Amino acid sequence: MTDQNTTDESQARAADSGAGATAAFQSKTGQGAGLEDVTPERVSTLATEVLAAVHDTIRRHKVTYAEYDALKAWLISVGEDGEWPLFLDVWVEHVVEEVANEGRECTKGSIEGPYYVPDAPALPADAKLPMREDESGTPLLFQGQVTRVGGDVVAGAKVEIWQADALGFYSQYAPGIPEWNLRGTVIADDEGRYRIHTLQPAPYQIPTDGSCGKLIAAAGWHAWRPAHLHLKVSAPDHRLITTQLYFPGDPHNEDDIASAVKPELMLDIEPAESGEGEQTTYNFVLDPA
Ligand code: DHB
Ligand code: FE
């Protein structure tokens, strides 16, 4: 392998991004956070029903010992690769998000995924995301306004944005990318407006060389997510929105491996007025807290 100076994102390995995502999750929730916060009745109900669904699948498909052992080996390797956050966020989170945000009037949410990092550098309402001098990709002006349900503007709303680069990698989860590349916390102006200069992200393949990749290959699935921007939009006295925005025409809008695309989250892309690249306007509506 190469040393730190010559390692770049083309050498990214699933085990690195997996370990990073696992560490980030553990630092967010604290070691051991979780089960003790759920009542025994609730744990018992949910665990019993999940296990019953597994038992039912085994009976209906007459699962063999060879298949049971393959499952055991695979589950062990998911942990070893640190890929539990990735597995859960790709195949489970979208339903948790659906249930959590049921009935909200605000802009639609979508999954957070494994690569959010809190406290990205604060940027003014008209800002360029941190990027390398030679960052490749089509320039994209992402602009809009934050209001609350009913129409009042939300002055100074916080628009956190993070995205993959043109090769589909996220800073802090692949080697050789500057720490805050393509991440920022944009503070909207007094009318809730923001103008964020970034680049069109590329479609993104979840790591194929780890356990999740192994499952995908063994099942004959594909590993693609459509190109997307990740966002968290928030303001005091309002409920946070975690969502993603998508680009029309991406073939994986129809078959996102993470099932996280919604029609309301499709951007409308037009040539930039500046003549350079593209621009898009997307407005967010927040629920009061
Ligand atoms: C994964 C990556 C993403 O960028 C995302 O939005 C969702 C899931 C993943 O690799 O698990
Ligand atoms: Fe993503």
Side-chain angles (χ1 to χ4, degrees), residues 19-100:
T22 297
F25 176 75
Q26 287 171 332
S27 77
K28 177 174 87 174
T29 56
Q31 283 283 357
L35 272 189
E36 65 276 17
D37 299 330
V38 187
T39 65
E41 294 74 24
R42 183 84 172 157
V43 172
S44 178
T45 301
L46 299 181
T48 301
E49 287 200 23
V50 168
L51 289 169
V54 173
H55 302 157
D56 181 53
T57 302
I58 294 167
R59 288 198 183 96
R60 278 191 299 119
H61 296 279
K62 302 206 181 305
V63 169
T64 65
Y65 261 100
E67 289 166 336
Y68 176 59
D69 285 346
L71 171 66
K72 259 194 206 173
W74 182 78
L75 289 171
I76 291 167
S77 73
V78 176
E80 286 172 348
D81 292 348
E83 284 201 337
W84 279 118
L86 199 152
F87 173 84
L88 290 165
D89 294 350
V90 167
W91 284 293
V92 180
E93 188 188 353
H94 68 100
V95 188
V96 180
E97 188 280 321
E98 172 191 315
V99 170

Side-chain angles (χ1 to χ4, degrees), residues 170-256:
Y170 287 84
S171 58
Q172 302 190 35
Y173 294 93
I177 307 177
E179 187 177 18
W180 295 105
N181 213 59
L182 299 175
R183 296 176 182 271
T185 302
V186 175
I187 308 301
D189 69 14
D190 290 346
E191 294 182 336
R193 295 187 195 277
Y194 47 86
R195 284 168 58 85
I196 304 171
H197 299 265
T198 182
L199 298 168
Q200 163 121 23
Y204 166 86
Q205 213 174 3
I206 72 160
T208 51
D209 63 321
S211 307
C212 291
K214 228 188 248 175
L215 169 64
I216 287 166
W221 300 340
H222 72 77
W224 290 96
R225 297 216 58 225
H228 55 277
L229 300 172
H230 287 272
L231 292 130
K232 283 182 183 276
V233 183
S234 60
D237 304 321
H238 294 77
R239 287 179 68 189
L240 167 78
I241 296 172
T242 299
T243 195
Q244 300 189 20
L245 296 171
Y246 301 93
F247 295 80
D250 189 310
H252 296 296
N253 286 333
E254 316 305 321
D255 64 359
D256 177 14

Side-chain angles (χ1 to χ4, degrees), residues 8-20:
D8 68 28
E9 58 196 285
S10 67
Q11 277 130 14
R13 293 176 313 135
D16 298 330
S17 61

